[in-house]
Amino acid sequence: MNSRDRRLGMHVAITRRDFVNGIGIAVGAALLPGCGRPGDPVAGPANAFYPPGETGMRGAHRGSFEVAHAAAQGQRWSPGAASEHYDLVVVGAGISGLTAAYIYHRDVDPAARILILDNHDDFGGHAKRNEFTYDGRSFIGYGGTMLIEAPKTYPEVSKQVIRELGIDTGRRAEFHHDDLFRSAGLGLGSFFDRETFGADYLATGGLGYTEAIEKAPLSSEARRELERLFADEEDYLAGMTPDERRDVLETLSWREYLSKYAGIGEEVLAYVQKWPHGVWAIGADSIPAWMAWLQGYPGFAGMDFGRGKPHSEDAEYFRFPDGNATIARLLVRRLVPGVAPGDTMEDVVTAPFDYSVLDSSDNLARIRLESTVVDLRHRDGKLDATVDVTYVKGGDAHTVSADRVVWAGYHSMLPHVCPDVPAEQVAALGASVRAPLVYTNVLIRSWESLANLGVDRVFCPGSFFQNVMLTHAVSFGDYRFSTSPDEPVILHLSHIPLEPGLPAAEQFRAGRRKLLETPFETFERNVRDQLGRMLGPGGFDPARDIQGITVNRWPHGYAYSVDPASGDVAWWPEWWPHDRRPWVDARQPIGNIAIAGTDAASNAMTESAIEEAHRSVHSLES
Ligand SMILES: Cc1cc2nc3c(=O)[nH]c(=O)nc-3n(C[C@H](O)[C@H](O)[C@H](O)COP(=O)(O)OP(=O)(O)OC[C@H]3O[C@@H](n4cnc5c(N)ncnc54)[C@H](O)[C@@H]3O)c2cc1C
């Protein structure tokens, strides 16, 4: 180990799972109170496997994706004799698959026997929970799906499910510490890194052209451009008709628009490049200018180009400590009796989940994890017949049969495992691409360094992690957020692997490849280096202050549909310019197989996962 790594604390025993030559070994877990031998989960019921307490590489963890990749590359498993029969088999235990099972019991047959299969070792799909235990206390974070965005705008069927699960978003004020950071003088900062901007510098004081940005390592020309951009008062398309403006905004990326029409140079373009990463998982080079306008990014001076913006008054978020993993946990608590005590949205936050009963034959609904579906076909090729579902678990193939199936996995995989998909639907299913994302949670000893610097969120335009923020300041039931800066807290860091310059869909594919090749060690070194440089002036020492790291990698993250001919991405399906909507063609039921999931809406949001589950279940009835 070199001296730099030593300074960063790469040798320090924390809760993480390292991989040495492909063999997983837990390092340091035994040092933490409440932890058993190395390799044990760090939280949860004693001696039981408790996936949210696992640290190190999570999300698409080792063992979860290899079989699916083999299937996509042509490996085949023939169905054997079915060992079990179900009324419904659901492929995918994400929010969509779990909701499909819930709605099937609610609307179709309360006595139905249902099996839900998922390739991961935990349920929830993207909606995953991360836990750390430190000094005898649990800290809960979100490994994926962050929050319920704008619940008032949810489609009615999704609102209904949320309500039935006991989530009352109207009680938000009881749980959210909305003023905690603001009242302590904390706000948004920007970290300029020396590799991109020539010097490390943290600008505090909020979004906009602040006094601190005036001192940033930028040329005076770039400073004036940034000031002009933030002021956002100039109409760069003055003199054009609405149609001409529309043409500009619909043909250029935001970056091209800023360069060509707003006269913004490379330094400021480097500053804004990763701006859209958090919400769209793509950079300024590929997000269309009209999307930047829609998002309210600067450069448009309130421009009207003949299209109305959606209303944003109802856009209040609702957050649980583990993000929307709480929705998944509430669904599982409804589906699987005995898995967890309690019956409210408050008590589910700390309710212990007993994973050993998920697949109990005593229950009507069973959840079978670490099971990748590799073959799905109607018996004798007859589309009104029983469906045989073959999955691989622990290296062995098993077949179960079902009257009906809901596919709530990825669209693009279905044609690889289901010979019954009609040829024209194969192309539509293949039009779905997924953007890769990484959500990293870092448990730190205290948030004093952030308080000293006056930041609760930092945008890092040139760094490995483009965003660093204190996790959700919310308290539910027995779970209390660390409201005092001297208490431990989870920092949330996000990284979007892309390949700027390529068309968006190709960037996603290239990013996915990069992501699967990036070892945990690289993430850890970047966590330590970036936090040390950024928060060091506030007293942060990565070797001393970092207590645990969980990297949630999502190679198949946000769902988007792509027009095969033009390469256009359906960023905002309501404004799709083409006649054919590949995601609609793709989601048509195939005999007794219905299709759910966010690919079916080209909209990677929880409300779509729920809405598509509802649609898919009811498509089986007709
Ligand atoms: C990092 C991240 C952050 C997000 N944040 C938000 C947010 O804040 N708010 C919001 O509303 N939305 C957010 N989203 C989007 C949201 O998570 C998704 O829209 C929604 O959870 C998707 O649910 P799903 O069930 O359709 O798919 P998924 O969650 O992807 O679940 C599908 C499951 O099926 C499994 N599967 C696939 N193929 C097979 C197979 N052959 N056999 C067995 N299992 C299979 C998958 O591995 C997965 O576990 C976020 C997404 C990501 C990736």
Side-chain angles (χ1 to χ4, degrees), residues 458-591:
V458 185
F459 172 56
C460 312
S463 307
F464 184 83
F465 295 103
Q466 95 283 350
N467 191 40
V468 175
M469 60 193 225
L470 284 165
T471 195
H472 299 336
V474 291
S475 297
F476 279 83
D478 294 337
Y479 187 73
R480 190 179 62 76
F481 183 75
S482 298
T483 49
S484 172
D486 60 1
E487 293 180 275
V489 77
I490 295 176
L491 269 184
H492 181 80
L493 286 67
S494 44
H495 167 75
I496 314 292
L498 292 167
E499 205 60 64
L502 296 176
E506 285 178 41
Q507 290 201 43
F508 296 152
R509 291 188 192 104
R512 177 156 49 249
R513 278 193 297 276
K514 244 189 323 200
L515 181 52
L516 288 169
E517 286 162 5
T518 307
F520 178 82
E521 190 190 351
T522 303
F523 287 101
E524 177 172 5
R525 188 172 288 106
N526 277 291
V527 165
R528 292 177 177 281
D529 177 58
Q530 189 171 333
L531 293 184
R533 285 161 58 183
M534 205 173 82
L535 304 178
F540 186 83
D541 174 355
R544 182 197 60 205
D545 291 332
I546 292 175
Q547 298 298 325
I549 301 176
T550 302
V551 174
N552 300 273
R553 64 174 168 194
W554 299 111
H556 304 273
Y558 296 165
Y560 294 116
S561 202
V562 177
D563 176 54
S566 62
D568 287 346
V569 176
W571 303 107
W572 194 258
E574 291 91 323
W575 289 8
W576 183 239
H578 304 279
D579 291 338
R580 299 215 59 156
R581 297 174 170 254
W583 62 96
V584 175
D585 296 342
R587 72 189 186 201
Q588 300 310 311
I590 303 158

Side-chain angles (χ1 to χ4, degrees), residues 64 68 91-98 117-120 122-128 143-149 154 324 371-374 391 407-410 413 417 434-435 437-439 552 554 556-559 596-599 603-609:
S64 65
V91 184
I95 286 180
S96 206
L98 294 170
L117 296 161
D118 196 283
N119 54 316
H120 291 100
D122 198 356
F123 56 79
H126 297 148
K128 285 286 195 311
T145 314
M146 191 187 277
L147 46 81
I148 303 182
E149 191 176 320
Y154 269 30
N324 294 2
S371 301
T372 306
V373 172
V374 290
Y391 63 92
W407 176 267
Y410 313 132
M413 189 178 177
V417 299
R434 293 297 190 108
L437 298 98
V438 184
Y439 275 13
N552 300 273
W554 299 111
H556 304 273
Y558 296 165
T598 50
D599 284 323
N603 182 14
M605 297 301 290
T606 298
E607 64 269 33
S608 294

Side-chain angles (χ1 to χ4, degrees), residues 137 162 177 218 274 357 397 401 432:
R137 189 172 156 194
I162 294 289
H177 303 282
L218 293 168
K274 293 186 181 175
V357 304
S401 59
S432 163

Side-chain angles (χ1 to χ4, degrees), residues 20-33:
V20 180
N21 297 330
I23 299 164
I25 53 163
V27 179
L31 297 182
L32 289 174

Side-chain angles (χ1 to χ4, degrees), residues 206-250:
L207 186 65
Y209 197 77
T210 58
E211 219 173 284
I213 291 244
E214 177 66 30
K215 297 184 189 129
L218 293 168
S219 66
S220 55
E221 198 181 358
R223 279 205 284 268
R224 297 290 68 82
E225 285 171 14
L226 203 49
E227 188 174 16
R228 178 160 57 82
L229 190 61
F230 275 124
D232 203 12
E233 288 165 353
E234 278 184 51
D235 180 353
Y236 299 112
L237 303 184
M240 289 191 185
T241 64
D243 278 354
E244 287 165 342
R245 287 165 186 260
R246 189 169 165 164
D247 192 47
V248 170
L249 265 54
E250 289 184 353

